[in-house]
Structures are given as C-alpha cells and as structure tokens.
RNA sequence: GCAGGCGUGGCGGAAUUGGUAUACGCGCUAGCCUUAGGAGCUAGUGGAGCAAUCCAUGAGAGUUCGAGUCUCUCCGCCUGCACCA
C-alpha cells in the first residue's frame, strides 16, 4: 500500500496545470458564461494567514464545479495595491512603496500558488499599474466633466497620525480605521464625488438584487439612510430695545429638517449647531456674543469622539436678543446653540420638541424650558407608583435610566419619589422597575381609577387596551399586593406619586385645527402647509482626495484664468512621479506638491501658466471597477471592450468579507452606475449574487493577529498536511458565512478523510454495466447517486460543509467493501475533485485516464436510484416514537395502519386505551392518538 | 437606543413542506496492532436509570395528532449603525 504523499502529488499537478494552461479563459459563445469573483487582496507586508484563503478556496471549488458542468468560467485574481497601509509599511521599512508593493505581491502570489487555484494569471491586474490607473483617472475626468467631481471646502475628517483626510466610510466610531487615532474636523480643500446624486438609485436598485445577503443590503440601506420629512422655515426677530414689543424682522430664517412635522406645535425652542453659518451672520444681533463665541470655540476643539459621546451631558448657550417664530402659531421661542446638533446632518439646525424627543427632553430639563405635549396615544392611563421606602437602589436605577424624578416629603414626613414619565420612557421604566425589583423592595402600579391586582389576576374595571403592557406588568407579579381601594393602598403605604402612561396610536392634541387628527395624517398635512416635503439622506458625498503619495494622481490642472481643467485624455495616464521624499507633509498638501517641475505645467485650454493638482485618490478608487478590467485587461483604447463586457458581465457571483458592505460595495455600485450612464458598460448593477465570508478566528477565539501571536501560516499547513487537506478542512469548518475558530486537529480530520479516499484505489475495481452488477446489493450505487445529488445541490447553495459530510459518509461506506465498480469510483472522484483537486487528478490519472478530470462532465444522478424502495416507517403514539418498521416506500395508508396496529410493541401501549384517531404521513410515519 | 442575525452534546456543527433531534468531524473512553509511538485499526460516546422507560434543542407560554423548525413574551450572545432631528 502506497502512502498518500501530498507533497509529490500537489507539486506534480500544479506544474502540469500550469503547463497545459488548464484555466485559460476566452470568450466562447457556444458555452454559457460564468463569472465568479473574489474580492482582490491588499498585498500587505505580513503575508497570508489561514483565514485569507477561505473565500478563495470557496470560489475555486465553485469555479471548478461550474467548469465541469459545462460553463465557460472566468475566475481572475489581481492586486489592490495603492493606499495607506502599503505606504506606511514602506515608510517604516525605509523602502519605496513601489518596491514594497512588488515584494508583497510576490509573497502573496507564492502563497496562493501552493493552494491549487484556477486563476487565469494572464488576466492579472494591479491597481498601481499606470495602464490600469489610466482608466481610473479617465473615469474621474468623465465625472468631472459631468459635474460629479467637484472641489469643496467643507469640514472633513483629518487623521493627524496618517496626515490625511478620510471619508466618513473610513471611520470607526470617530476613530481612524487604520491607526485608531481620534479624527479632527477641519475645513480643507477637497475633491469630492457626488455620490448623493445616486442615493435613490443605490437604495432602490437593492431590490433588483435578490441573491445578495439580506444583512448586507440592510447595512447599505442604513448607510444611505433615507428619511422622509419636511424642511420648515422659522423666521428670526431681534429686539431693537429692551421692550419686547419693539421687535423687528431681521430678514433671517432658520431652516430645519424634521421627520415629525406633526409635532410642530410642540416646538418650544430651537437649536443650531456651533458650526452653523447663521450664527456668524447674526453676530451683530446676538447680545451675548462673547459667551456664544466661547462656546463655539470650545466645541471646535472637541474631537468627534468627545462630541458623540452619548453619556455626556448636553450643553448649550441661549442666543440673547433674538427669538424665532414658530410658523404654526406665531409663538416666540428661544434659540440655542448646542453641540448635540450636528452640522453634517439635515440643515444643521432643529426645532426642539422636548415632549417627543429624548435629546430635546434632556436639554429642556437642564435649561428649564417648557415641555409641551402635542401628540398622545389614543388611551391614557393614569397610574400611581408606590414605593415602600426611597431606597438608594431605586434612585440609582432612575439616574442610570435618565428618568427624571424629584424627592419630596409625604404627609407623614417621610421621603417619596415623584416620577414624570414621557411617552418614550415607559418601556425603559418598566424594565428598570423589573430589574430593580429583583431585590427586596416592591412596587405596585395601580390605576388612578382602576385597581390592578396581579397576584390574584384580578383586574377591576381594568381599562388597559394594550395587552402587551398588561403582560409586562404581569411579570412584576410576585411583588404586587391587593387593595380594595386606592385609599386603602395609600393608607397602607406611606407615600406615592403619580405617573402617566400613554398607550396606543398617536393622536394630535393642543395643535389648533389639527387637534384630533391621527399623527400620520397630521404629518403630511402640516408638512405641506408649513414647509416643504423633503427627503434627506445620511449618505454624504464621497471625499475623494488624500494628502498622500501612494495613490492615483488626480488628473486636474488649476489655471488662474480658466479655473480647473481636466488633463487631456491623450495625456493619460498621468503617472505618479518618482519622488525622493514621500513622507506625508502634514500641512494638508501632498508630498507631490514639493516636485516643482511636476507641479508647474501649462493650461491645456489657454496654454498659460498652471499648477497640477497634488492630491491623490483614495484606496477605494482602483477597487471600484477592477472586476471590469479582468474582462479585457490589456485594452489600450477603452476601459473595457463593450462586446466582451456584454458577454461576461455582470459578475455572477462575488465572494468577500462583510467589512466591505458599506464601502467598497457602495462605491463600486456607484462607479458602475456612472459608467452605465455614460454608456461604457451594458448593465446597471455589477454583482448579481453576493456572499460574505465568515472570519476564521484563532484557536483562542480571538482574531488572528501578530499582536496576539496566534497567527497560523497556510504554508505550514500545506507543508504538513497538504493543500487539499487545508481546502477540505476550511470548507468543512461550518457554515461559510459564519465566523469560526481554527483548529489544527480539525485539519487532521480532513487529512484522514483524504487518506481514506486514497486507499480506495487499492480496492478491486471492476466494470459493471446495467443490472448485472453484483455490488448493487451492497447499496453502493444508491449511496453514490444520493451523494452526487446532495453534493451538486450543496455546491450551488454554498453549503460545502454538508457536501463534505456526505462525501465522508460515502467514503466510510465504500472503505468497508472489498471491491467497487470503477465507474462509481470515477464519479465519486469527479464530485470530490473541486474540493481536493490535486488528489483527485492524481487518482484519476492512476485509473488510466489521459485527459484532466476537470475536462470531464459533471456526473448526473439517476433519479430512480435516489429513491428509496424501503423505508423505516415510524410508528408514534401521541407523537412519541414507539416503533419503527421496515416497509416498502409505496405502502398504502390502510396497510400501514394495519401493520402499525399489529406491532407487538405498539399493542403493549394500546392496552386498555381508546384510539381516537390514526394519522398517516406517506413515506414517513403513522401516529396513533389515544 | 435602532436595525439585522443567532442560541442544539465536552467542542465545530447536521436536521426538505412541522414528521425517528444530535448526521459528519474533533475530542474523550475501552480494547487491538506495534519494540515503541500516533496523524493506525475496532467498538463505544446527550443526560438519568439494572431495566422497562423517562428527560433533553437559552427560558416560559401558545398553535398542532406531532414543534429545534410556526406564533407571542422574556433572557443571552454576535454584527452593523448611532446625539441621524
């Protein structure tokens, strides 16, 4: 018996496949096409760990299976090599980014080469190749010509450590996604792409993508953040004199965006963000300017992180000397500047409705501003909360839950708590009470007119319409007591206070003519009458420039006379110049600004003196369209040939990490839609099916990282167990899209399985045609066809773990036989081949086959063989299994019932019992109800 | 806080339309082969019980002849977003 020598086998076939160009792809109209794509890697300095190839293995299996199923498969690979990490790595190691990138690509390619992938390396692309980024620049110019790329001076996210601007998508909770430094907000000159013009299409077209995972679509919807509401104008008055009646219209307005125009009557003050332009315009009208300016400056110095800290107390300053007019009722309301209102969202100013908004409520409480309820649910329940003592625990809970309360003295001189709950606080309050009540105290919630008694489940004159609330209250059961009247209760308890609980649909109150309307109705009516219906998006325009060296130069020339002019198309690519010092300057200028001979140029329009743009593009630029270039990687005339693109596009299946859900995948969809609009491509969505890869964690459950020293290098695993074992193991770990911890013992399991496969070649093999096959009795052909069916379907569904499990069952079974039909082994090898390509190709050739196994057609299962002739008929009594009988699958209902009742085991259970009915499920079971 | 997802042995995880819960793998136990070893072979392996049998899919309820699967409530975990007006 030969030993399974994975090294010999794998080296042999990798060489052979390379020689025969097994994976070379070209357009072939005779075959249906299949384009399967991996998210191309960023070649970092540390090389691959075992988690990286997971997605590549999965697509490789898919690609090989599709090839055998008669598809013309495109499965390319390339490098996303521009960007900060490569540049930082180069600076740290004192080498040129280009050299660092080349070195890293070589490492990656070598590592990937050992795993037996089907990539057509003749289509390899690299985003840092001038022939590639020529077309990135070309697209930028097309956007510029259509007004979709523009210069802006808005405040942007600046990372002081990476010394560059970042887009919103590059932040993680206010920190730089790369280095974890708190980002500063600075107004800076930037190139920006108008992705917001595409917001609606990006949102609506998600509906066209049924084969995307719902979670990713949901993330994109949230990121785009469409909300419908109204823009309402509030005019501003100033006071000429101290006398309030002498006021004049100063011709200024505050525009606010609100999703709840039905609460307009409840607006009791206004808040504008510290960066709002209007404040500067109102400078002369504001009497306490010095104080206001101090606040604005303080806000400026706070990092985004500090400002968005939810636990911090709200602060603000009243703008003295001016008031706003609420257009619905002409009431004068004060204006505040406060940093809980953000510049970046809506209009940067809000109308504050403290009765219906948690944040406004907190602010109103702090500054003692009026709170006016204008919407209430249909039913009001007045209730009383009673506590035995004012215990410290309850107070702490109330403080923690941000529920307002006051402590007073009751009639007998002891403390009591007064709690005023708002509409949106009720759930929180009930939760709080519940958690608090785990202690020794107790609380009753008793209606002012009705008495609720939970313990005995008696509810006199109970008027709750909301059963959910009732259920919740019920859960406080052990702590509830019964009283005959409120007075008895009050007497029994020394103190109490009242709270109001609102239940049901919203009804507008205290709102003039609108009073009594349903909240929904009032929303659109009031919006139309007092403002303008508007749609607002959370998505911001894409900040597209970086003040760094290692990126595509933005192909724009600044001319004093002509303004911004695009670099003429024939001068593309605009190559990144060689530079001695590529360290970031930190001044907001790119290192390119120091190369005078490059910066100084002529205006292509007027020929006059002009300067080149020195910012570069972000990392996400090149990756926004790379999948198109694989189709036609060497085209010098166009980004992609439209005929070829029509054949291959769209990408049928795209597999990659979920971390790209709101960046790469939104950018690429935007870029693609733009290319579609200018007629460069044929379809308006780039990726038909999308699957995310679940992360492989280290054995200790943490992320694999140098920092923890828990990284496993695939090279070691390939060396010790073989690429095929690694492939099978990674696919067997669990559901593909779920995170999963690495286990080297698990690889051993996969290796054992492949060794068992290898041993099958020592079986006696014989040819067997049709019915006269002795082995048929063993059940092997039946099992084979069931396995083919399952594996075929599981590959399509990306359920590789269960496919492998089915193949293990087959091998375990076949391993016990002395002999097997040659055809069965061959067919089995074909379905295993995508998973363990080297081993299967080897065994296939040892069986005497000359042509590669991957050129063989995928085996078809015989539907007749997949059916079971006999089944185990389950006999249940009252749903519990009492017996199983082996019967023909086609057994009739009557016969099944008959033999079920005749069974000895069943008879025993039926003694002295009456049979109520007997249920028969064809091919499955008989259930006797007694 | 909001949205999406998940919860099954010691572990990773299986389980068509509701129909034999725990497939497959790891680990573990016993035995075998071997001078020895395990990345070998055989058998066993949810819990309780001598057994018949009973109990088990986060908890509790509901629908059903029958629930891991459907409905409701709660608890816990993961992911994303988050002072989004």
């Amino acid at each position: 018996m030969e030993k399974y020598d994975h090294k010999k086998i794998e080296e042999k076939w990798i060489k052979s496949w390379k020689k025969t160009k097994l994976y070379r792809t070209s357009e072939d109209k005779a075959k249906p096409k299949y384009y399967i794509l991996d998210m191309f890697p960023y070649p970092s300095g540390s090389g691959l760990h075992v988690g990286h190839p997971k997605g590549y293995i999965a697509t490789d299996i898919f690609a090989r299976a599709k090839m055998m199923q008669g598809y013309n498969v495109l499965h390319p690979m390339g490098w996303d090599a521009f960007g900060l990490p490569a540049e930082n790595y180069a600076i740290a190691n004192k080498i040129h980014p280009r050299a660092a990138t080349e070195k890293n690509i070589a490492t990656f390619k070598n590592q990937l080469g050992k795993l037996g992938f089907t990539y057509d390396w003749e289509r390899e692309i690299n985003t840092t190749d001038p022939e590639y980024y020529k077309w990135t620049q070309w697209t930028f110019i097309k956007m510029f010509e259509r007004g979709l790329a523009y210069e802006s001076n808005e405040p942007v996210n600046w990372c002081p450590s990476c010394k560059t601007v970042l887009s919103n998508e590059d932040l993680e909770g206010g920190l730089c996604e790369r280095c974890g430094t708190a980002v500063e907000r600075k107004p800076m000159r930037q190139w920006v792409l108008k992705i917001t013009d595409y917001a609606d299409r990006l949102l609506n077209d998600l509906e066209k993508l049924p084969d995307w995972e719902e979670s990713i679509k949901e993330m994109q919807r949230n990121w785009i953040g469409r909300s419908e509401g109204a823009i309402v104008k509030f005019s501003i008055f100033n006071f000429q004199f101290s006398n309030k009646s002498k006021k004049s219209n100063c011709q200024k307005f505050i525009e606010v965006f609100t999703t709840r125009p039905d609460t307009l009557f409840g607006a009791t003050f206004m808040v504008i963000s510290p960066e709002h332009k209007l404040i500067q315009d109102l400078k002369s009208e504001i009497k306490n300017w010095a104080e206001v300016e101090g606040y604005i400056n303080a806000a400026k110095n706070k990092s985004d992180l500090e400002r968005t800290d939810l636990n911090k107390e709200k602060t603000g300053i009243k703008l003295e000397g001016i008031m706003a007019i609420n257009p619905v009722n002409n009431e004068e309301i004060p204006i505040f500047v406060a940093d809980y209102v953000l510049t970046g969202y809506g209009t940067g100013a809000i109308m504050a409705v403290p009765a219906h908004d948690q944040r406004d409520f907190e602010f109103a409480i702090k500054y003692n501003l009026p709170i006016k309820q204008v919407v209430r649910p249909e039913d009001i329940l007045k209730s009383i909360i009673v506590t035995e003592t004012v215990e410290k625990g309850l107070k702490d809970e109330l403080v923690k839950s941000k529920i307002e309360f006051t402590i007073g003295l009751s009639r007998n001189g002891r403390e009591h708590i007064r709690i005023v709950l708002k509409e949106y606080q009720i759930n929180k309050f009930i939760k709080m009470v519940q958690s608090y009540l785990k202690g020794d105290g107790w609380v009753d919630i008793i209606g002012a007119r009705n008495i609720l008694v939970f313990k005995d489940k008696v509810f006199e004159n109970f008027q709750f319409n909301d059963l959910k609330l009732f259920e919740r209250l019920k859960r406080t059961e052990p702590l509830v007591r019964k009283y005959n009247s409120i007075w008895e209760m009050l007497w029994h308890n020394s103190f109490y206070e009242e709270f109001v609980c609102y239940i049901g649909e919203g009804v507008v109150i205290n709102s003039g003519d609108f009073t009594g309307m349903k909240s929904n109705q009032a929303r659109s009516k009031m919006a139309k009458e007092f403002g303008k219906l508007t749609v607002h998006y959370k998505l911001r325009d894409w900040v597209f420039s970086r003040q760094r060296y290692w990126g595509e130069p933005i192909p724009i020339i600044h001319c004093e006379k002509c303004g911004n002019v695009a670099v003429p198309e024939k001068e593309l690519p605009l190559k990144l110049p060689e530079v001695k010092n590529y360290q970031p300057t930190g001044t907001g200028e790119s290192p390119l600004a120091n190369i005078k001979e490059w910066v100084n140029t002529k205006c292509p329009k007027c020929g006059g003196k002009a300067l080149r743009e020195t910012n570069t593009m972000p990392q996400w630029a090149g990756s926004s369209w790379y999948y198109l270039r694989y189709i036609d990687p060497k085209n010098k005339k166009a980004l992609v040939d439209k005929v070829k693109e029509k054949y291959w596009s769209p990408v049928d299946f795209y597999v990659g990490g979920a971390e790209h859900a709101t960046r790469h995948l939104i950018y690429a969809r935007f870029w693609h839609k733009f290319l579609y609009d200018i007629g460069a491509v044929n379809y308006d969505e780039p990726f038909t099916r999308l699957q995310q890869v679940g992360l492989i964690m280290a054995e200790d459950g943490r992320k694999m990282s140098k920092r923890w020293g828990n990284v496993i290098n695939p090279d070691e695993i390939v060396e010790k167990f073989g690429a095929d074992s690694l492939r099978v193991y990674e696919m067997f770990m669990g559901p593909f899209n779920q995170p999963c911890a690495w286990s080297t013992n698990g690889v051993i399991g996969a290796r054992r399985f492949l060794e068992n496969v290898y041993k099958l070649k020592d079986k006696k093999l014989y040819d067997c045609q049709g019915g006269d096959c002795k082995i048929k009795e063993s059940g092997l052909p039946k099992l084979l066809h069931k396995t083919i069916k399952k594996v075929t379907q599981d590959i399509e569904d990306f359920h590789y773990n269960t496919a492998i499990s089915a193949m293990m069952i087959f091998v375990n079974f076949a391993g016990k036989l002395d002999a097997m039909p040659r055809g069965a082994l061959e067919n089995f090898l074909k379905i295993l081949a995508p998973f363990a390509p080297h081993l299967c190709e080897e065994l296939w050739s040892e069986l005497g086959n000359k042509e590669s196994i991957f050129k063989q057609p995928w085996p078809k299962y015989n539907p007749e063989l997949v059916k079971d002739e006999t089944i185990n008929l389950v006999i249940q009594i009252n749903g519990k299994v009492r017996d199983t009988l082996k019967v023909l699958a086609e057994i009739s209902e009557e016969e099944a019932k008959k033999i079920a009742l005749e069974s000895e085991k069943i008879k025993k259970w039926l003694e002295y019992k009456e049979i109520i009915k007997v249920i028969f499920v064809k091919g499955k079971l008989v259930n006797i109800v007694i």
Side-chain angles (χ1 to χ4, degrees):
Chain A
M1 226 184 358
E2 259 178 273
K3 235 187 105 201
Y4 167 35
D5 183 349
H6 64 263
K7 256 189 178 169
K8 206 173 115 195
I9 294 171
E10 287 173 4
E11 276 168 19
K12 173 180 164 189
W13 289 107
I14 286 173
K15 223 185 261 171
S16 160
W17 292 331
K18 208 172 173 183
K19 216 169 107 195
T20 56
K21 300 199 169 180
L22 183 64
Y23 314 123
R24 188 101 182 265
T25 320
S26 59
E27 292 73 48
D28 180 352
K29 295 247 160 66
K31 284 184 184 173
K33 67 96 184 179
Y34 202 93
Y35 185 0
I36 180 158
L37 180 69
D38 296 291
M39 288 185 187
F40 65 162
Y42 193 97
S44 72
S46 39
L48 293 174
H49 65 62
V50 288
H52 292 118
K54 184 176 170 188
Y56 308 150
I57 292 168
T59 53
D60 191 65
I61 290 167
F62 207 89
R64 285 175 187 269
K66 283 280 165 202
M67 237 182 247
M68 293 169 80
Q69 287 163 11
Y71 287 87
N72 188 24
V73 175
L74 177 57
H75 183 217
M77 185 44 83
W79 315 102
D80 181 18
F82 265 139
L84 275 179
E87 194 174 343
N88 289 343
Y89 173 86
I91 291 169
N93 292 281
K94 299 209 160 54
I95 45 173
H96 194 279
R98 173 158 286 117
T101 301
E102 274 165 18
K103 184 175 149 260
N104 294 345
I105 287 176
T107 310
F108 268 60
K109 216 170 161 179
N110 176 42
Q111 285 186 295
L112 290 179
K114 292 177 188 168
L115 296 170
F117 293 137
T118 50
Y119 303 128
D120 178 357
W121 285 111
E122 287 177 35
R123 290 174 184 267
E124 176 179 4
I125 57 161
N126 179 336
T127 54
T128 65
D129 177 354
E131 285 307 307
Y132 178 89
Y133 68 66
K134 171 180 178 180
W135 298 103
T136 313
Q137 291 173 330
W138 177 85
T139 314
F140 180 87
I141 288 172
K142 295 289 162 202
M143 288 185 180
F144 173 71
E145 285 166 358
R146 281 158 184 77
L148 288 168
Y150 63 97
E151 266 184 305
S152 138
N153 278 298
E154 294 294 302
V156 286
N157 313 301
W158 169 261
C159 173
S161 161
C162 294
K163 294 178 179 149
T164 184
V165 157
L166 300 171
S167 72
N168 286 356
E169 287 82 358
D170 290 328
L171 304 184
E172 264 173 17
L175 304 177
C176 169
E177 181 243 355
R178 283 283 158 207
C179 64
T181 311
V183 168
E184 294 165 9
R185 280 202 149 268
K186 273 196 190 179
M188 285 180 73
R189 185 190 65 88
Q190 296 301 321
W191 281 95
V192 179
L193 299 186
K194 224 170 176 178
I195 192 170
T196 49
D197 272 14
Y198 283 75
D200 258 327
R201 281 167 69 190
L202 289 170
L203 184 69
N204 295 335
D205 289 353
L206 287 173
E207 305 302 323
K208 294 187 195 166
L209 303 169
D211 292 328
W212 277 40
E213 274 179 62
E214 193 51 42
S215 62
I216 293 187
K217 288 200 269 189
E218 197 56 31
M219 273 191 229
Q220 293 212 350
R221 284 187 201 110
N222 287 341
W223 193 262
I224 295 166
R226 184 190 149 99
S227 51
E228 282 179 16
I231 296 264
V232 183
K233 271 186 182 180
F234 286 65
S235 45
I236 301 171
F237 281 83
N238 61 352
F239 301 110
Q240 299 289 48
F241 310 100
S242 51
N243 184 347
K244 273 201 177 180
S245 62
K246 301 252 178 169
K247 58 198 175 191
S248 75
N249 189 339
C250 69
Q251 302 287 318
K252 298 235 162 55
F253 298 95
I254 302 181
E255 278 201 336
V256 300
F257 175 73
T258 175
T259 54
R260 292 287 306 274
D262 54 320
T263 62
L264 265 161
F265 282 86
T268 52
F269 58 102
M270 306 200 70
V271 186
I272 62 180
S273 66
E275 294 89 349
H276 202 289
K277 275 185 198 146
L278 194 70
I279 299 187
Q280 301 300 331
D281 294 351
L282 288 168
K283 189 173 170 178
S284 55
E285 324 284 343
I286 297 169
K287 286 183 179 160
N288 56 339
W289 178 250
E291 199 187 354
V292 170
E293 197 176 27
Y295 183 81
I296 292 170
N297 288 334
K300 219 184 265 173
N301 292 332
K302 279 189 202 170
S303 70
D304 250 29
L305 196 67
E306 286 172 293
R307 277 190 61 170
T308 53
D309 182 2
L310 290 169
N311 296 321
K312 97 175 173 182
E313 215 180 292
K314 297 200 167 21
T315 58
I317 303 281
K318 190 177 172 192
L319 303 182
E320 300 288 351
I322 56 172
M323 292 288 261
I325 301 291
N326 188 339
V328 298
N329 52 11
N330 292 325
E331 262 175 32
E332 291 169 17
I333 56 176
I335 307 167
F336 287 78
V337 55
D339 66 1
Y340 81 90
V341 172
L342 307 174
T343 340
Y345 189 81
T347 60
I350 60 158
M351 62 173 204
V353 185
H356 301 283
D357 183 281
Q358 173 88 44
R359 296 151 300 170
D360 298 343
F361 176 75
E362 283 166 29
F363 195 81
I365 292 292
K366 178 161 177 188
Y367 293 99
N368 209 11
L369 295 158
I371 297 168
K372 189 176 156 200
Q373 181 104 23
V374 289
V375 176
R376 69 156 176 78
E378 282 164 322
D379 299 292
I380 300 180
L381 169 78
K382 276 199 162 186
S383 296
I384 294 168
I385 175 167
V386 183
T387 66
E388 199 153 27
T389 62
V390 180
E391 283 161 272
K392 197 178 171 298
L394 180 60
K395 272 195 246 171
D396 290 348
E397 286 295 332
L398 288 167
V399 171
K400 221 165 78 191
S401 306
K402 290 190 184 164
I403 289 172
E404 282 301 318
F405 66 94
T406 54
I407 295 180
L409 292 176
S410 63
R411 282 165 300 187
N412 60 8
R414 285 166 65 186
E415 276 189 318
H416 72 262
I417 287 185
R418 168 188 287 267
I419 300 169
V420 184
L421 286 178
K422 292 292 148 199
E423 171 188 351
Y424 51 83
Q425 291 177 318
I426 184 71
N427 286 353
K428 194 190 254 184
F429 175 73
I430 287 168
K431 268 190 186 163
M432 190 276 293
V433 168
Q434 274 177 285
S435 71
Y436 168 69
L437 288 180
K438 282 175 191 148
D440 300 330
W442 54 269
V443 171
D444 288 320
I445 298 170
I446 299 216
R449 288 157 304 188
N450 313 294
I451 297 136
L452 314 176
V453 182
F454 305 111
K455 203 172 197 168
D456 308 312
K457 306 202 179 192
V458 173
F459 305 95
E460 292 176 37
N461 300 320
F462 182 60
Q463 283 192 345
F464 281 27
N465 285 345
D466 187 334
L467 275 172
K468 280 186 188 171
L469 179 70
F470 166 65
E471 287 294 330
R472 283 209 184 100
L473 295 174
K474 215 166 66 172
R475 244 167 261 113
T476 63
E477 196 178 348
L479 304 142
V480 164
R481 293 182 189 180
K482 183 175 180 176
Y483 301 105
N484 293 321
S485 74
I486 293 169
W487 303 113
E488 185 188 332
M489 184 199 77
L490 293 180
W491 172 81
H492 187 271
N493 298 286
S494 40
F495 43 85
Y496 65 93
E497 255 320 322
E498 190 178 22
F499 81 93
V500 184
C501 164
Y502 298 90
I503 309 157
E505 289 293 313
V507 175
V508 172
I509 55 169
N510 300 330
S511 297
D513 296 345
F514 299 89
T515 299
M517 257 185 213
K518 283 259 157 105
S519 168
N520 282 346
Q521 262 181 310
R523 217 167 281 182
S524 54
K525 280 218 163 161
M526 287 164 83
K528 276 179 210 149
E529 191 160 336
F530 302 112
K532 205 172 73 196
L533 282 170
T534 327
V535 175
H536 189 78
Y537 299 93
K538 203 180 86 177
L539 183 74
R540 308 279 81 201
D541 278 342
W542 179 7
V543 174
F544 199 68
S545 42
R546 301 288 181 273
Q547 292 68 43
R548 298 287 299 238
Y549 172 70
W550 193 232
E552 302 88 341
I554 292 177
I556 291 289
I557 291 167
H558 304 281
C559 169
E560 270 179 36
K561 250 202 255 159
C562 315
N564 289 335
V565 180
V567 170
E569 226 174 288
K570 58 175 190 285
E571 286 179 26
L572 296 181
L574 173 60
K575 287 196 189 168
L576 187 59
E578 289 302 317
V579 54
K580 277 197 200 101
N581 191 1
Y582 44 81
Q583 306 236 352
T585 62
T587 58
E589 286 289 345
S590 137
L592 295 180
N594 296 328
I595 316 175
K596 291 289 168 252
E597 59 278 24
W598 187 79
V599 172
N600 293 313
T601 185
K602 267 191 254 168
C603 171
K605 227 183 201 170
C606 67
K609 269 193 182 173
L611 299 172
R612 285 195 191 278
E613 171 63 53
T614 57
N615 280 345
T616 53
M617 296 187 194
Q619 191 197 332
W620 309 103
S623 59
S624 292
W625 67 280
Y626 73 105
Y627 52 90
L628 290 168
R629 192 65 179 174
Y630 285 132
I631 291 170
D632 193 10
K634 309 219 160 69
N635 193 329
K636 292 206 180 239
K637 293 199 178 110
L639 183 142
V640 62
D641 178 77
K642 253 189 117 175
V643 177
K644 287 183 184 172
E645 196 266 338
K646 184 152 193 171
Y647 175 77
W648 286 114
S649 269
V651 172
D652 295 282
F653 199 175
Y654 195 19
V655 177
E659 70 273 19
H660 295 297
T662 51
R663 273 183 287 187
H664 163 60
L665 285 171
I666 283 194
Y667 294 150
R669 290 182 64 223
F670 158 63
W671 201 278
H672 194 93
K673 282 179 185 300
F674 172 74
L675 291 174
Y676 174 74
D677 289 351
I678 62 169
V681 296
N682 290 289
Y683 308 93
D684 71 340
E685 278 290 338
F687 315 117
T688 306
R689 180 176 172 190
L690 180 73
Q691 173 76 52
Q692 59 170 315
V693 190
L695 213 63
I696 294 184
M697 314 299 277
E699 228 149 344
D700 59 11
R702 292 187 290 200
K703 268 192 184 179
M704 274 196 197
S705 153
K706 261 191 195 163
R707 201 185 336 165
W708 309 119
N710 55 10
V711 176
I712 298 196
N713 188 322
D715 295 352
E716 287 167 33
I717 303 294
V718 169
E719 173 75 20
K720 212 167 160 194
F721 304 101
D724 286 337
S725 297
L726 178 70
R727 290 169 64 112
V728 169
Y729 170 63
E730 291 207 1
M731 294 304 105
F732 185 62
M733 289 174 89
F736 182 73
N737 57 358
Q738 262 174 51
C740 207
W742 174 266
S743 149
T744 300
N745 269 333
V747 187
I748 294 170
R751 165 80 192 195
R752 275 186 202 143
F753 163 60
L754 294 181
E755 268 170 16
N756 290 338
V757 173
Y758 191 74
K759 281 184 204 155
L760 291 181
K761 80 187 179 106
D762 297 322
K763 299 268 173 234
K764 251 183 251 160
L765 294 181
Y766 57 87
D767 292 309
C768 124
Q769 301 290 330
D772 49 80
C773 179
K774 271 181 283 173
I775 209 79
K776 202 174 171 188
E777 293 309 309
S778 74
L780 186 82
K782 186 174 271 299
L783 180 60
L784 174 71
H785 283 262
K786 280 186 173 177
T787 308
I788 293 171
K789 184 183 179 192
K790 175 134 185 77
V791 171
T792 308
Q793 188 58 49
D794 280 348
I795 288 176
E796 195 56 44
D797 299 340
F798 241 52
H799 293 160
Y800 292 149
N801 54 334
T802 50
I804 291 167
S805 147
M807 290 189 283
M808 284 171 169
I809 292 169
F810 177 83
V811 172
N812 289 347
F813 185 90
K816 285 179 191 142
L817 303 174
D818 299 327
M820 67 189 290
R822 164 185 297 268
L825 179 57
E826 288 192 341
N827 276 340
F828 175 72
L829 287 177
K830 284 183 204 166
I831 58 170
L832 177 63
F835 297 85
H838 313 88
L839 174 67
C840 293
E841 186 80 297
E842 171 69 15
L843 293 177
W844 176 254
S845 97
E846 279 191 38
L847 285 172
N849 295 294
K850 294 275 177 285
E851 201 186 35
S852 167
I853 193 170
F854 298 103
K855 301 235 164 175
Q856 309 308 313
W858 190 255
K860 284 201 171 68
Y861 66 90
N862 179 348
E864 285 304 309
L865 274 176
V866 168
K867 270 190 216 154
D868 284 309
E869 287 127 31
T870 61
I871 53 153
N872 287 327
L873 185 72
V874 173
I875 319 293
Q876 297 182 331
I877 292 177
N878 288 350
K880 290 197 172 171
V881 180
R882 294 305 178 196
D883 198 8
T884 60
L885 302 169
K886 201 164 188 175
V887 298
L888 287 174
E890 294 301 309
I891 193 167
S892 71
E893 175 162 0
E894 274 177 25
E895 214 176 321
K897 284 181 181 172
K898 200 176 128 211
I899 64 157
L901 293 172
E902 278 166 6
S903 150
E904 287 304 317
K905 283 189 198 164
I906 297 301
K907 274 185 184 162
K908 201 175 69 193
W909 286 94
L910 295 179
E911 274 172 33
Y912 315 113
K913 297 276 161 39
E914 185 194 347
I915 297 173
I916 298 168
K917 66 177 166 179
V918 181
I919 288 148
F920 173 70
V921 180
K922 197 166 182 291
K924 288 259 163 65
L925 57 79
V926 173
N927 189 12
I928 303 164
V929 186
I930 57 173

